[in-house]
Amino acid sequence: MRPSRRPIAAFALAATLTAPLTACGDNTTAQPAAADGGKLAVVATTTQVADFARNIGGDKVTVTQILKPNIDPHDYEPTPADITAIGAAKVVVKSGIGLERWLDETISSAGFKGVTVDASTGVKIRQGNGDEEQKDGDPHIWHNPRNAKIMAQNIEKAFAAADPADAAIYQKNLADYSAKLDRLDADIQAKIDKLPPDGRKLVTNHNAFGYYIDRYQLEFVGSIIPSFDTSAELSAKDVDDIVSKIKKTGTKAVFSESSLPPKTAEAIARQAGVKVVAGEDALYGDTLGPQGSAGDTYLKMAEHNTDVLVQALGG
């Protein structure tokens, strides 16, 4: 992870002059962080935890989503509007495991006095191989729906503690959403089971799908960027190595990701003589998609990724 290059503290004064954010119910535009009609004011960092927060909070919360769809979270630079939103919030929800390295300084600049929820609490974290730039472990925990359930539970606990009057509603919303996550998990497993055992090989833009691979017993051949972090540098040797692995293992496709340019994936696929999956079929790795896309919610994202994988790999 590279730290933010902007001097965050310098935003503090500018943030006080920033106009309120525009309210919106989707995941593309931030909502006001200030409580509206008694609603709990929540800031969520990533597209995934923002979606979880909306499902758990329902109409009892207003959710300000900091990261926009298809924006790479690994090298995010906070804005004055982010500081304004956090300063007015009662609860801040983060994905955790070092994904939001910019957040602590931003919270400090905002003078935030509420509760910060680490949605990763209780999740078993995958570790790197020593070459990974992400020293805290693999932050892409949401790609296992069972981890998503834990993340939703952490959010529900925080909402209930911050707003005890509506605790029963948050609990009901959690139960409903958890049931959907269970169905999603079963659906993904059923689709993956259709793949031939020797055809479950995966090559992606970067190492973002480890939890998915572990959960559904796929074979990770490699990633174009050999890191959890998209800001890692790609060398000529890395390119040669992944092309060689694709050819040696008989991998059928290279999967591009929605938040990353597809050119390198396309070039490697050409060198290896396999197809590249990109464009509208690109996987959602680090981020959900914009409203109206195939990945504009967590549930839709996971189904899209699975359907694309199964089709491309011959299921």
Side-chain angles (χ1 to χ4, degrees):
M1 293 262 182
R2 293 195 299 261
S4 171
R5 296 182 294 274
R6 296 183 183 178
I8 296 176
F11 287 157
L13 177 60
T16 64
L17 304 177
T18 303
L21 301 174
T22 303
C24 182
D26 60 36
N27 67 356
T28 61
T29 306
Q31 298 176 329
D36 178 16
K39 294 183 179 182
L40 184 65
V42 177
V43 167
T45 56
T46 68
T47 54
Q48 296 87 5
V49 295
D51 188 47
F52 298 153
R54 283 187 288 267
N55 277 279
I56 301 306
D59 61 5
K60 296 299 180 181
V61 304
T62 58
V63 178
T64 298
Q65 177 180 308
I66 290 182
L67 286 160
K68 302 299 185 289
N70 288 338
I71 297 298
D72 185 352
H74 289 278
D75 198 26
Y76 183 70
E77 297 179 346
T79 69
D82 297 333
I83 295 178
T84 299
I86 289 173
K90 299 299 182 183
V91 178
V92 170
V93 182
K94 68 176 183 178
S95 189
I97 321 172
L99 187 63
E100 305 99 331
R101 297 197 176 226
W102 45 268
L103 183 60
D104 288 346
E105 189 177 350
T106 309
I107 284 176
S108 178
S109 297
F112 175 64
K113 303 299 183 183
V115 175
T116 301
V117 182
D118 186 339
S120 70
T121 301
V123 174
K124 183 177 180 181
I125 307 304
R126 297 178 68 252
Q127 298 302 316
N129 58 13
D131 296 325
E132 302 289 357
E133 295 198 9
Q134 181 68 23
K135 302 304 183 184
D136 298 309
D138 186 347
H140 306 91
I141 55 176
W142 56 86
H143 284 300
N144 181 342
R146 295 181 178 183
N147 291 342
K149 283 184 67 175
I150 295 173
M151 298 172 82
Q153 290 165 6
N154 290 328
I155 293 169
E156 183 273 329
K157 290 177 183 177
F159 287 2
D163 178 22
D166 292 316
I169 294 175
Y170 301 135
Q171 292 168 3
K172 172 65 164 56
N173 291 345
L174 174 63
D176 292 344
Y177 193 60
S178 294
K180 293 178 181 179
L181 292 172
D182 287 339
R183 288 195 294 272
L184 171 69
D185 187 29
D187 287 346
I188 293 174
Q189 186 65 71
K191 291 174 180 178
I192 295 296
D193 286 345
K194 296 178 182 178
L195 287 171
D198 62 348
R200 304 181 183 190
K201 300 179 176 69
L202 195 60
V203 173
T204 58
N205 269 118
H206 79 300
N207 191 358
F209 295 91
Y211 294 95
Y212 185 97
I213 289 167
D214 289 350
R215 171 69 189 94
Y216 302 110
Q217 296 299 296
L218 300 175
E219 179 182 344
F220 179 60
V221 174
S223 55
I224 295 167
I225 302 173
S227 175
F228 297 144
D229 186 348
T230 56
S231 65
E233 298 295 330
L234 179 65
S235 69
K237 182 179 183 302
D238 293 329
V239 173
D240 291 341
D241 285 349
I242 192 63
V243 170
S244 176
K245 287 179 180 178
I246 291 170
K247 291 179 177 180
K248 183 178 180 179
T249 59
T251 301
K252 295 181 178 180
V254 173
F255 295 90
S256 184
E257 297 172 39
S258 64
S259 60
L260 295 171
K263 290 184 178 180
T264 304
E266 292 169 346
I268 286 175
R270 283 196 298 271
Q271 290 185 48
V274 299
K275 59 187 172 184
V276 62
V277 180
E280 291 185 357
D281 288 335
L283 303 182
Y284 295 97
D286 282 340
T287 168
L288 302 184
Q291 187 177 28
S293 71
D296 61 4
T297 69
Y298 173 79
L299 297 173
K300 288 173 64 177
M301 174 277 295
E303 290 282 9
H304 165 85
N305 283 355
T306 301
D307 289 343
V308 167
L309 287 169
V310 170
Q311 181 175 3
L313 296 179

